[in-house]
Amino acid sequence: MSILLEAQRATSLYESRLRRDGRALMKRKNSSPQWNWRRKTGWGVPLAWLTLCVVWSSTWLVIKVGLRDLPPISYAAIRFIIAVIVLFAVSLGRVRLLPRRGADYAVLALTGVLMFAVNYGLLFWGELHVSSGLAAVLQATIPIFGMLSAHLMLPDEPLRLQKLLGALLALGGVAMICERLLGFSGLMAFWGGLGIVFGAACAAFSNVLLKARVIQLAPSMIAGWQMIFGAAPLLVTGFIVEGNPARFHWSALSFFCLLYLAVIGSALTFLLLYWLLPRMTVARLQAISLITPPGAVMLGWAIGGETFSLLSLVGACFVLAGVWMIFRRAEMREPVIQEG
């Protein structure tokens, strides 16, 4: 999945390196700032980018459907266990599987718990009480919390006025959504929405921490080890709270949802994302953050039968507008990274 949340997570790890490489490349080539996908890279890049948009827009509804049969914590844990198996199987013999330093395991463990245990645990639980579309919008606040964390932890990423205004606008939209949930959908929906936002803040802090502590490991293995450390507490907690997974109601639909999220929504999207990193600007990858929430809302309405109040939709527009303001400056300054 991840609501891009995964896209923002991955791009944040590479933003500084891509900017340095881009500046070096611009010194050697007088490249046009406009991106012509077909002329420079063929159809592979736009196809992979559109695949990420479609898949990450769909994962929110797939989570919602799977929750009809599966409890949230175990559902999330099993998803990442399967995704880890796929990632390691694909990476075996291609990249280094183990971190080089013992301290790297501590960083991967902490960021893995924050990203995959806390964030996704709260997300899956929150979707029991919140529509899939609103869950996607609330998770889109990851860049906002990431910007605030980066201001405190990364000296080369100071907080600027335009980004601060965007953050305030987006947080105002979140307040509108949560007020609507509390007033018309009940107390559990309100706590579900707040839980998703808190998980987004944990994911954002994880992004910044991982960027500050550079780990010499292939991106797919960084994600794989984070999933291992995140899935372990989810699996234990789920077994204690929800019982033995073997006793769950494993319908064909719930089994399909689990495999879709693990193989398509996690392993495949991470591999596509890391393939795109050297071939696209970070800003264009971050644009997925603005596309997947509206896509999730549309799929929830068209397929899932979800309804949205006018106040919730207005709040969602505020959130996306705020995220756009945060990304807009990066889009103007980011050099184009071309395939070598």
Side-chain angles (χ1 to χ4, degrees):
M1 175 192 311
S2 199
I3 175 120
L4 168 78
L5 328 198
E6 298 161 357
Q8 172 63 23
R9 168 188 173 277
T11 54
S12 67
L13 303 180
Y14 291 86
E15 186 169 1
S16 296
R17 179 177 65 81
L18 284 176
R19 284 180 176 174
R20 292 194 298 268
D21 294 346
R23 284 194 294 267
L25 181 63
M26 293 293 285
K27 292 179 180 179
R28 297 193 303 266
K29 297 182 180 180
N30 184 20
S31 301
S32 169
Q34 298 298 320
W35 182 268
N36 188 327
W37 275 333
R38 186 172 185 178
R39 178 171 60 85
K40 296 178 180 179
T41 60
W43 289 107
V45 168
L47 182 61
W49 188 85
L50 289 173
T51 299
L52 288 179
C53 292
V54 172
V55 172
W56 274 330
S57 295
S58 66
T59 51
W60 308 93
L61 181 59
V62 175
I63 291 174
K64 190 76 171 180
V65 173
L67 287 171
R68 297 173 183 174
D69 297 325
L70 302 178
I73 306 302
S74 298
Y75 187 10
I78 299 173
R79 169 195 178 175
F80 293 123
I81 291 174
I82 298 174
V84 165
I85 295 173
V86 175
L87 282 175
F88 273 80
V90 172
S91 302
L92 184 64
R94 299 175 181 268
V95 298
R96 179 182 177 87
L97 301 182
L98 302 177
R100 295 182 181 275
R101 301 172 298 178
D104 292 342
Y105 287 98
V107 176
L108 291 170
L110 177 57
T111 57
V113 169
L114 290 174
M115 171 63 72
F116 292 98
V118 179
N119 177 41
Y120 280 100
L122 289 173
L123 173 63
F124 275 62
W125 173 78
E127 280 211 41
L128 286 174
H129 312 287
V130 176
S131 69
S132 62
L134 289 184
V137 171
L138 294 174
Q139 271 274 291
T141 56
I142 283 182
I144 300 166
F145 294 110
M147 175 194 67
L148 299 175
S149 298
H151 175 70
L152 299 175
M153 299 173 60
L154 301 176
D156 60 339
E157 297 189 23
L159 183 62
R160 302 184 185 277
L161 178 60
Q162 178 175 308
K163 293 184 177 182
L164 179 60
L165 293 177
L168 294 175
L169 180 62
L171 292 177
V174 171
M176 293 178 65
I177 294 173
C178 290
E179 191 277 335
R180 172 71 187 186
L181 291 175
L182 178 62
F184 294 89
S185 301
L187 186 61
M188 289 306 298
F190 172 76
W191 286 115
L194 283 186
I196 293 173
V197 174
F198 179 78
C202 292
F205 180 78
S206 171
N207 294 339
V208 176
L209 180 60
L210 194 60
K211 183 176 180 179
R213 308 284 186 177
V214 178
I215 297 178
Q216 300 299 324
L217 191 65
S220 59
M221 287 297 93
I222 291 178
W225 280 104
Q226 284 184 309
M227 289 181 187
I228 290 175
F229 288 116
L234 283 176
L235 193 63
V236 173
T237 303
F239 189 86
I240 295 174
V241 176
E242 300 167 346
N244 190 342
R247 298 181 179 179
F248 298 162
H249 176 63
W250 289 97
S251 65
L253 182 59
S254 61
F255 189 72
F256 167 80
C257 291
L258 183 60
L259 289 181
Y260 181 86
L261 291 173
V263 179
I264 305 298
S266 295
L268 175 63
T269 51
F270 269 111
L271 295 173
L272 285 177
L273 180 63
Y274 296 137
W275 181 80
L276 281 174
L277 278 172
R279 295 170 171 83
M280 292 186 66
T281 63
V282 170
R284 293 188 183 276
L285 279 175
Q286 289 175 330
I288 302 176
S289 299
L290 302 176
I291 295 174
T292 52
V297 170
M298 292 178 61
L299 289 175
W301 170 76
I303 300 177
E306 297 177 347
T307 58
F308 307 92
S309 68
L310 179 60
L311 185 62
S312 296
L313 292 176
V314 172
C317 291
F318 282 176
V319 172
L320 297 180
V323 174
W324 176 79
M325 289 179 64
I326 294 173
F327 287 158
R328 184 172 180 267
R329 187 176 182 88
E331 174 71 29
M332 295 171 61
R333 298 178 58 184
E334 190 73 44
V336 173
I337 307 302
Q338 300 181 17
E339 185 175 4

